[in-house]
Amino acid sequence: MIFSGSLKVGYTAPSIEGQSAVISEAQAVAEVDVETISYVETHGTATVLGDPIEVAALTQAFRYSTQKKAFCGIGSVKTNIGHLGAAAGVASLIKTVLALKHKQIPPSLNFDQPNPKIDFANSPFYVNSKLLAWETDGNPRRAGVSSFGIGGTNAHLVLEEAPTIVASQVSRPYQILKLSAKTSSALETATANLVAHLKQHPDSNLADVAYTLQVGRQDFQHRRAVVCRDIADAVVGLEDPKRVISSICETSARPVAFMFTGVGTQYVNMAHELYQVEPVFRENIDRCCEIINPLLGEDLRDILYPKSVVQSKPSGGLDLRKMLGRNQNVDA
């Protein structure tokens, strides 16, 4: 946006129009209801000229959407540490992020009464002078952060608290932990670091650990993996050279497939555990059985995984081994 210089009394002076415009634009980009913004970290230099203009600009921006009064607290980190010049904006950002994290609105120190030129009574704002629990009416906690510079180099952000992270529910009985690094020595270090972390946090959710290692880390050529049941088993497995699988991979991605070794000797309940715990495997078995059901007139799942006592050959109906031409007795 371009504004005429005549809107300001001087190059270094703040202006209502310029500040209001950048605040309104930030709110529009954020696509939030301004009434859900319950705190604004202001530029707040505590000057006779600057503060009334800043509150007037904030009020003008908020009044485009609401006439509600005194619902949004304001404060400034400058009451704690003074004006940091070029670093003032990032200090305000850090303070506000921490306030959202701890769900508390920090006080503006040494505040007794407002500048008489500021009309707080008819604005959406109040000066927060004491530490408050940051209450919410069901909406995420949201805050604005302003940083204004000389000549109209103004910035405003709308922040929202991070969503609550829900721990994974009961997952498969085994997990694969994978590691990768650019060099063999770095892989050894990564393994040692993971073992140390798991020992320090024995209550960690193994499924969450496996997921983070799988999708939250970049793949490099030197790779390592171990299959484990729980955190304690993961620690033992990572320290056991016989259980750890290590390799150097030249490609970044390879397809994965289930392989059932042998010479074609099938038996009742073959891969039954996979069918029970792996949704993708189960979905594909079910799909194939549903496709072939009209041709056989019988559901192969009743033969593969009978609900009765496990036996090498189901009584009556189709014989899976006979269908495959293997009538000889073979232990399951």
Side-chain angles (χ1 to χ4, degrees), residues 2-3 23 27 43 50-53 59 75 113 171 180 194 198 246 265 268 290 301 328:
I2 300 175
F3 294 94
I23 294 167
Q27 292 172 348
H43 187 63
D51 284 1
I53 287 178
T59 300
Q113 58 185 10
S171 183
S180 70
L194 178 58
L198 296 178
S246 302
T265 302
V268 173
E290 288 164 4
R301 286 167 292 193
Q328 64 273 28

Side-chain angles (χ1 to χ4, degrees), residues 218-238:
Q218 188 173 349
D219 290 329
F220 298 108
Q221 288 188 343
H222 294 263
R223 301 183 181 184
R224 178 165 292 166
V226 66
V227 178
C228 50
R229 296 187 305 272
D230 49 38
I231 295 296
D233 189 40
V235 171
V236 173
L238 288 167

Side-chain angles (χ1 to χ4, degrees), residues 30 45 88 93 131 136 173 246 294 308 316:
T45 54
L93 175 62
L131 182 65
T136 177
S246 302
S308 58

Side-chain angles (χ1 to χ4, degrees), residues 100-177:
L100 287 167
K101 176 182 177 180
H102 294 288
K103 299 177 174 56
Q104 293 180 309
I105 300 178
S108 283
L109 303 183
N110 305 314
F111 174 80
D112 295 318
Q113 58 185 10
N115 185 322
K117 294 183 179 180
I118 300 176
D119 186 11
F120 277 116
N122 294 308
S123 79
F125 310 105
Y126 64 92
V127 178
N128 183 53
S129 58
K130 60 183 179 180
L131 182 65
L132 293 178
W134 198 333
E135 304 295 344
T136 177
D137 58 359
N139 291 306
R141 294 171 179 82
R142 295 187 177 117
V145 180
S146 292
S147 182
F148 302 135
I150 290 177
T153 53
N154 301 328
H156 186 83
L157 294 175
V158 176
L159 305 180
E160 180 176 295
E161 67 178 335
T164 301
I165 299 176
V166 180
S168 298
Q169 301 302 313
V170 177
S171 183
R172 54 173 61 92
Y174 290 88
Q175 299 290 342
I176 300 176
L177 302 187

